Amino acid sequence: MIRAVDIHKSFDNLEVLKGIDVTVNDGEIVAIVGPSGAGKTTLLQLLGTLDSPDRGNVYYGDTDVYTLRGKELAAFRGKNIGFVFQFHQLLPEFNVLENVAMPALIAGDRRADAFERARKLIDYMGLGQRSSHRPNQLSGGERQRAAVARALVNNPSVVLADEPSGSLDSVNRRELHRLFFDLRRDMGTTFVIVTHDNTLASEADRVITLKDGLIAG
Ligand SMILES: Nc1ncnc2c1ncn2[C@@H]1O[C@H](COP(=O)(O)OP(=O)(O)O)[C@@H](O)[C@H]1O
Ligand SMILES: [Mg+2]
């Protein structure tokens, strides 16, 4: 379970988050919606330990993550949190298999284990024929599926996704969304997804609407 309590965050004089409380249960799919500039990405980054709040706490289970520092925090993040962004952010000079295995290699896993887990996920994503291709040889939908595989390679407890289907056409968007629900069913993955897609939001277990730095509903 992830619990964010009374999260405040400002950039210079701009108060972006004004006291946010969010709980995400294991296996839940939560959508975060709201107008551009509402603070959705900021909140997701704070939930993902990529930035620290000015005030408030984020707990993963019993761990108060912002008491962790430097390497400890990076190791916690690498093990527990997967990220998917609007633009895949796969490394262009590596093939799909290497990209997907990368977080496991960074975490210090044995190469054979990292590649085996990567291969399984790539197969699950229907990208088996694409493992040795580089990102620029894939379609947009395939790249995002590879990015989801990469997010999952360390068996994180949660995947945080920031407008993951924002750059896809409607067919690929539907397919990516279906994949999230399949993964939850098959692996119990928890998802927090920032989205502008009304269909995805309506299919989520819960929708959190951010407005002017507060939860509006
Ligand atoms: N690193 C930063 N430095 C300064 N301002 C920022 C930074 N990140 C976000 N902001 C500002 O905070 C506000 C909320 O941004 P963001 O969380 O990206 O909103 P959203 O994802 O909902 O569109 C915006 O006004 C944005 O310009
Ligand atoms: Mg954003």
Side-chain angles (χ1 to χ4, degrees):
M1 185 174 87
I2 304 165
R3 198 158 55 92
V5 182
D6 196 29
I7 298 295
H8 292 254
K9 181 73 181 178
S10 297
F11 295 109
D12 303 318
N13 292 324
L14 180 69
E15 199 181 2
V16 177
L17 300 177
K18 303 175 182 171
I20 301 280
D21 295 299
V22 176
T23 300
V24 180
N25 295 308
D26 293 342
E28 213 180 1
I29 296 183
V30 175
I32 298 179
V33 304
S36 180
K40 303 181 298 295
T41 293
T42 304
L43 177 59
L44 207 69
Q45 301 253 327
L46 293 174
L47 291 176
T49 77
L50 292 170
D51 198 355
S52 51
D54 301 328
R55 184 138 67 86
N57 303 78
V58 175
Y59 300 91
Y60 277 68
D62 295 331
T63 306
D64 182 349
V65 293
Y66 287 110
T67 63
L68 304 176
R69 292 276 170 266
K71 275 188 182 167
E72 240 183 358
L73 182 61
F76 178 89
R77 183 190 308 126
K79 221 175 112 192
N80 291 287
I81 310 170
F83 294 93
V84 180
F85 305 97
Q86 178 172 359
F87 301 100
H88 54 88
Q89 302 200 355
L90 298 168
L91 299 170
E93 64 273 31
F94 292 97
N95 68 28
V96 169
L97 181 65
E98 292 160 341
N99 266 288
V100 172
M102 195 69 69
L105 296 171
I106 290 169
D109 288 6
R110 287 178 46 230
R111 285 183 74 79
D113 294 342
F115 282 114
E116 190 191 327
R117 290 212 308 283
R119 209 167 260 118
K120 278 192 183 139
L121 284 164
I122 287 167
D123 285 343
Y124 181 96
M125 305 292 160
L127 295 173
Q129 305 301 314
R130 293 275 186 241
S131 323
S132 59
H133 288 109
R134 299 212 176 162
N136 68 7
Q137 297 173 292
L138 306 183
S139 72
E142 288 172 333
R143 282 196 283 262
Q144 274 312 56
R145 294 212 300 282
V148 173
R150 178 186 54 186
L152 291 167
V153 77
N154 286 342
N155 293 316
S157 51
V158 63
V159 170
L160 305 178
D162 197 351
E163 303 192 34
S165 57
S167 61
L168 299 179
D169 63 40
S170 60
V171 171
N172 281 298
R173 200 178 306 151
R174 296 304 310 141
E175 206 168 287
L176 186 72
H177 296 165
R178 205 167 311 126
L179 176 63
F180 294 148
F181 288 87
D182 288 350
L183 285 164
R184 185 257 292 271
R185 182 196 61 211
D186 295 343
M187 303 178 193
T189 314
T190 307
F191 287 92
V192 181
I193 308 170
V194 170
T195 187
H196 284 116
D197 187 279
N198 292 328
T199 311
L200 174 59
S202 70
E203 288 169 351
D205 299 326
R206 199 146 52 86
V207 179
I208 293 172
T209 305
L210 271 191
K211 214 178 154 207
D212 298 330
L214 289 168
I215 291 178

